[in-house]
Amino acid sequence: MNIIMFGAPGAGKGTQAERLVAGRGLVQLSTGDMLRAAIAAGTDLGLRAKDIMDRGDLVSDDIILGMIAARMDDDDCANGVILDGFPRTVAQAHALDEMLDSKGLALDCVIEIKVDEAALFARIENRAAETGGARSDDNADTLRKRLAVYHENTAPLLPYYAGKGVLKTVDGMNSIDEVASQIDRILG
Ligand code: AMP
């Protein structure tokens, strides 16, 4: 089963993806986590990505697609993946379609976690406090930019996936457990 976790920054994509990893044995592919690992490792890619991420902009499609394509070739991805934070642009969505097609795989479901954006500022503030500021993009200024980027580049994917008949929406303002139950009901 191949699933996309979709939603604005702070909607809870990563949290819900982790629940599915534990519950269904799927592999979570988070492009944000991959980029943060590259930054921590001090690679060229990490160095280039850091400023872009700190500004709240998107890393280039080429870099992201290279990372995802390499990871999707790993054996552990054959049973299904949860894509978390990818795709974020129309070009990425088209490239994902081609990637899945070429492997004879299908996209089963896109789960949109819908949230009230005003609440995201408090959530990001909490995450920064809980993680001791581990993510340098967890602040109000960068969140404002990330939300603008989400609306401009990523939200247009919603009608794209609705048109394919794979889009399901859950209410991300509920508790983590309730959102997880809604997702479980959708996935069956
Ligand atoms: P995330 O952890 O998903 O919130 O991503 C953190 C940051 O990494 C984003 O604000 C972008 O700068 C970058 N990033 C993560 N995934 C992507 C993607 N699919 N396309 C472009 N940039 C990305």
Side-chain angles (χ1 to χ4, degrees):
M1 187 177 258
N2 297 294
I3 301 166
I4 295 175
M5 281 293 166
F6 198 94
K13 301 184 293 291
T15 303
Q16 294 300 332
E18 279 162 24
R19 301 278 289 239
L20 289 177
V21 169
R24 295 181 184 246
L26 300 173
V27 170
Q28 176 184 5
L29 297 191
S30 159
T31 41
D33 284 350
M34 291 177 195
L35 291 166
R36 281 184 288 277
I39 293 172
T43 64
D44 279 356
L45 164 63
L47 288 176
R48 274 184 288 154
K50 184 168 183 350
D51 286 345
I52 299 171
M53 292 167 75
D54 283 348
R55 281 202 307 270
D57 277 327
L58 293 181
V59 173
S60 78
D61 288 336
D62 283 356
I63 289 179
I64 297 291
L65 290 170
M67 271 181 2
I68 282 282
R71 187 65 183 89
M72 293 271 284
D73 278 342
D74 291 343
D75 288 345
D76 64 338
C77 292
N79 288 335
V81 293
I82 310 165
L83 297 166
D84 159 16
F86 172 87
R88 261 176 156 99
T89 64
V90 172
Q92 290 180 17
H94 288 156
L96 173 64
D97 285 347
E98 282 168 22
M99 225 181 283
L100 291 172
D101 268 0
S102 72
K103 293 176 185 294
L105 299 172
L107 176 63
D108 298 283
C109 192
V110 177
I111 298 173
E112 179 201 8
I113 307 178
K114 206 178 181 125
V115 284
D116 165 7
E117 287 188 11
L120 294 179
F121 286 84
R123 278 198 192 182
I124 291 285
E125 209 175 288
N126 282 344
R127 183 164 73 185
E130 277 166 14
T131 61
R135 282 185 57 165
S136 47
D137 58 351
D138 273 349
N139 60 74
D141 281 345
T142 309
L143 177 60
R144 254 187 293 280
K145 172 70 182 181
R146 288 161 72 200
L147 284 171
V149 167
Y150 171 78
H151 285 295
E152 183 171 341
N153 300 97
T154 310
L157 297 182
L158 289 169
Y160 177 72
Y161 287 123
K164 285 175 172 285
V166 290
L167 182 67
K168 304 282 180 200
T169 301
V170 297
D171 181 356
M173 298 313 291
N174 287 323
S175 69
I176 290 174
D177 282 345
E178 177 50 31
V179 176
S181 309
Q182 282 183 37
I183 292 174
D184 267 338
R185 283 196 290 276
I186 287 169
L187 297 179

